[in-house]
Amino acid sequence: MLRTDVLLRIFCLAAVFATAAVGSARAGDPSKAAAKDAKREADRHFKNGVTLYKEGKFDEALAEFERAYEIAPHPLVLYNIAASHRELSHYAESVAFFERFLAEGEGKVPAARLATARRELDAILGRVARVTITVQPSAGATLVVDGKDLGAVPSTPVILSPGEHRVEVRAEGHQPAERTVRVASGDDLVVDLALEALPAVSAEPGPGPELAPAPGPGPVSVSDGPTVGARARPGRPALFLFARRRV
């Protein structure tokens, strides 16, 4: 029932999106032809997303809605992106896009539709856990959840789907700290993590390399000249004289 109701609203959004495209082209915007082509392309992606959503191909529908918003941003597309994430059980992303829709749609989207989005957001929040991460020291600390880097540790609660999750914080010059948590829908808890500084590296230089001993005198070269010998006198060693050749 919920999905059928969502589909009816999505078809309505497609009509609004197409009307906005035509209106923009008629208004004589700069680069009128290029703007008209871009709107037409965004509308094509949007309608493809609607068809895929109806077929239950939510991942593909999400890609089409994201491309439509990239080409021609409009709050109504954010609603469809949020709905697609919800059907994929990407609850954190769904909450983020519903909140963006409510913020950016103020004054641009009928109040009744904003009220409906708030109810849907509340329904999602009832399915998830809200986990607040605290870390000491907090300077430069980043958060990783289930292997996904979420950037700086947020001051607001992290939205987690029911089940087991690995929470890790990192900071330069510190050992990573981690905790595995198991949460259920409606949980609201705080996870405290402490980072330990890495041991200081000594700046004192170590011993240098051992030097090889200096080579001794090389072998004596015998010249090509004649060798003059002398007969040793009794009791004295023989003496040999070598004629050296200069180079």
Side-chain angles (χ1 to χ4, degrees):
M1 181 65 181
L2 175 62
R3 185 173 298 173
T4 301
D5 187 41
V6 169
L7 283 174
L8 289 175
R9 285 199 296 275
I10 287 180
F11 279 117
C12 179
L13 297 182
V16 173
F17 193 83
T19 302
V22 174
S24 177
R26 289 176 178 174
D29 293 341
S31 305
K32 181 178 177 180
K36 186 176 180 180
D37 289 343
K39 294 287 186 180
R40 187 181 296 112
E41 181 67 5
D43 185 51
R44 182 181 72 81
H45 285 293
F46 191 94
K47 290 179 177 178
N48 284 345
V50 170
T51 300
L52 291 165
Y53 189 102
K54 181 180 179 181
E55 295 173 353
K57 299 176 180 178
F58 304 113
D59 195 40
E60 296 172 46
L62 175 61
E64 292 293 328
F65 291 139
E66 288 175 334
R67 181 57 59 85
Y69 188 82
E70 180 183 328
I71 297 172
H74 193 283
L76 295 175
V77 189
L78 296 174
Y79 176 91
N80 291 8
I81 293 174
S84 298
H85 275 301
R86 176 187 56 204
E87 298 302 325
L88 291 166
S89 298
H90 300 165
Y91 296 123
E93 292 84 351
S94 184
V95 167
F97 278 100
F98 268 121
E99 289 177 343
R100 281 186 61 185
F101 170 70
L102 291 171
E104 297 181 25
E106 194 70 37
K108 300 178 183 178
V109 176
R113 184 157 296 139
L114 292 174
T116 299
R118 288 190 187 94
R119 288 194 296 270
E120 295 186 21
L121 174 58
D122 289 340
I124 294 173
L125 292 175
R127 301 183 189 181
V128 300
R130 298 162 66 89
V131 181
T132 301
I133 311 296
T134 67
V135 56
Q136 293 296 333
S138 60
T142 59
L143 176 64
V144 178
V145 177
D146 297 330
K148 183 179 180 180
D149 191 341
L150 301 182
V153 177
S155 57
T156 56
V158 177
I159 303 299
L160 296 180
S161 58
E164 190 170 272
H165 301 274
R166 187 170 65 88
V167 178
E168 180 181 0
V169 290
R170 303 171 181 172
E172 187 176 354
H174 294 77
Q175 293 278 7
E178 65 177 63
R179 182 87 53 81
T180 298
V181 296
R182 186 172 183 82
V183 297
S185 61
D187 285 353
D188 192 345
L189 65 150
V190 177
V191 175
D192 297 314
L193 294 171
L195 292 168
E196 294 185 10
L198 292 171
V201 179
S202 174
E204 185 176 332
E210 293 185 4
L211 299 177
V220 177
S221 298
V222 180
S223 71
D224 296 332
T227 301
V228 180
R231 186 181 300 273
R233 295 182 181 179
R236 295 185 180 180
L239 176 65
F240 292 91
L241 302 178
F242 296 90
R244 298 181 180 273
R245 179 165 58 94
R246 297 182 178 274
V247 178

